[in-house]
Amino acid sequence: VTDSDDTELIACDDDGIEDGFFNFNLSDANNDIVLGLPAGLTISYYETYDDALLEVNNIGTTFTNNTPYSQTIFARVENANNCYGISEVLLTVNQLPNIQTEALTYYCLNTFPLTVPLNAAVINDSPTNYTYNWTSGETTYEVDINQTGTYTVTVTNANGCSKDRTINVEASNIATFENIEVVDATQNNIISVFVSGEGTYQYRLLDENNTVYAPYQDSNVFENVFPGIYTCLLYTSDAADEEDS
């Protein structure tokens, strides 16, 4: 007759590798298994019911499930070799929220105090299935900010498993054109654009018909430029500036 109780050990898959495996401390199940039974009982754990019945291949008290996310093992309860029963112990590994954990964005300083949104970046699921806790105190999926800095949100699913998302917000601003150097009347005409300001910029050339002559590039130098009149278009994450050259 089985007098011991079945139970379950539940863990979040937060050991650094999200693969459905977790190293359980099986002793955490002891109290539930012997609830209502006399004191002094011993409990041993086995992968299969037959092993528990025959008392072979004891797996000890720390065990990593070898079937991802859900596996049943067996606990044998006895006193002086009198078996009180064999209980099932369900090992459950719950998934963490599927979110984008890191992001970099920019806040354009010249737009202050206008705000821009940040969100928790839930992937392939409804945001309503989670709760949120931002370091700034908000508990919504999306928050509005108008300051640079580091923002972190803890996203928690219905199983109580959490994951953090960190967003670095860096400063950006409309650039100031400091100088434009032109080297012409050569086989390789060169335009070099020099700017100052917060942010990372990209550069594009438009011809006198406002047609793209050179698409956006990271370099501030345009080479092999045909003779003509050009507009340099400067782009940062939140603003674009133009100047003729």
Side-chain angles (χ1 to χ4, degrees), residues 53-68:
L53 190 64
L54 299 174
E55 296 185 81
V56 296
N57 302 318
N58 187 322
I59 60 175
T61 57
T62 58
F63 177 74
T64 299
N65 53 305
N66 47 49
T67 301

Side-chain angles (χ1 to χ4, degrees), residues 182-191 205-209 213 223-230 245:
V182 177
V183 178
D184 57 6
T186 69
Q187 290 184 339
N188 180 15
N189 296 323
I190 298 174
I191 297 175
L205 279 186
L206 305 181
D207 65 17
E208 56 189 312
N209 297 315
Y213 180 83
E223 298 192 51
N224 298 307
V225 180
F226 290 147
I229 298 175
Y230 295 92
S245 63

Side-chain angles (χ1 to χ4, degrees), residues 53-95:
L53 190 64
L54 299 174
E55 296 185 81
V56 296
N57 302 318
N58 187 322
I59 60 175
T61 57
T62 58
F63 177 74
T64 299
N65 53 305
N66 47 49
T67 301
Y69 301 107
S70 183
Q71 181 176 350
T72 298
I73 61 171
F74 299 87
R76 179 185 175 97
V77 181
E78 59 182 29
N79 181 11
N81 211 34
N82 294 317
C83 185
Y84 271 82
I86 297 175
S87 297
E88 293 184 358
V89 181
L90 177 61
L91 305 180
T92 298
V93 183
N94 287 323
Q95 294 181 336

Side-chain angles (χ1 to χ4, degrees), residues 224-237:
N224 298 307
V225 180
F226 290 147
I229 298 175
Y230 295 92
T231 297
C232 178
L233 188 67
L234 195 64
Y235 175 82
T236 184
S237 59

Side-chain angles (χ1 to χ4, degrees), residues 87-225:
S87 297
E88 293 184 358
V89 181
L90 177 61
L91 305 180
T92 298
V93 183
N94 287 323
Q95 294 181 336
L96 305 185
N98 186 16
I99 63 173
Q100 183 183 351
T101 57
E102 295 182 354
L104 171 64
T105 190
Y106 297 89
Y107 180 73
C108 197
L109 299 178
N110 62 287
T111 66
F112 183 84
L114 294 180
T115 61
V116 295
L118 305 178
N119 66 57
V122 169
I123 298 173
N124 295 329
D125 202 355
S126 171
T128 59
N129 292 332
Y130 304 85
T131 59
Y132 308 95
N133 185 17
W134 293 82
T135 49
S136 52
E138 290 91 340
T139 58
T140 53
Y141 176 71
E142 185 174 280
V143 297
D144 294 319
I145 61 99
N146 60 6
Q147 294 183 355
T148 60
T150 299
Y151 296 82
T152 301
V153 56
T154 299
V155 182
T156 305
N157 60 24
N159 292 319
C161 297
S162 300
K163 187 186 290 186
D164 288 343
R165 168 170 165 81
T166 299
I167 306 170
N168 290 313
V169 180
E170 295 185 356
S172 183
N173 208 340
I174 292 178
T176 299
F177 282 86
E178 300 291 350
N179 191 25
I180 295 178
E181 294 181 357
V182 177
V183 178
D184 57 6
T186 69
Q187 290 184 339
N188 180 15
N189 296 323
I190 298 174
I191 297 175
S192 300
V193 182
F194 298 94
V195 301
S196 61
E198 298 90 348
T200 301
Y201 303 105
Q202 291 185 316
Y203 306 81
R204 180 170 72 168
L205 279 186
L206 305 181
D207 65 17
E208 56 189 312
N209 297 315
N210 213 34
T211 301
V212 175
Y213 180 83
Y216 279 117
Q217 62 183 42
D218 293 332
S219 173
N220 67 321
V221 178
F222 299 92
E223 298 192 51
N224 298 307
V225 180

Side-chain angles (χ1 to χ4, degrees), residues 24-27 30 43-47 57-63 73-74:
F24 287 89
N25 180 2
L26 303 182
S27 298
N30 288 357
I43 304 173
S44 50
Y45 292 92
Y46 303 85
E47 277 197 60
N57 302 318
N58 187 322
I59 60 175
T61 57
T62 58
F63 177 74
I73 61 171
F74 299 87

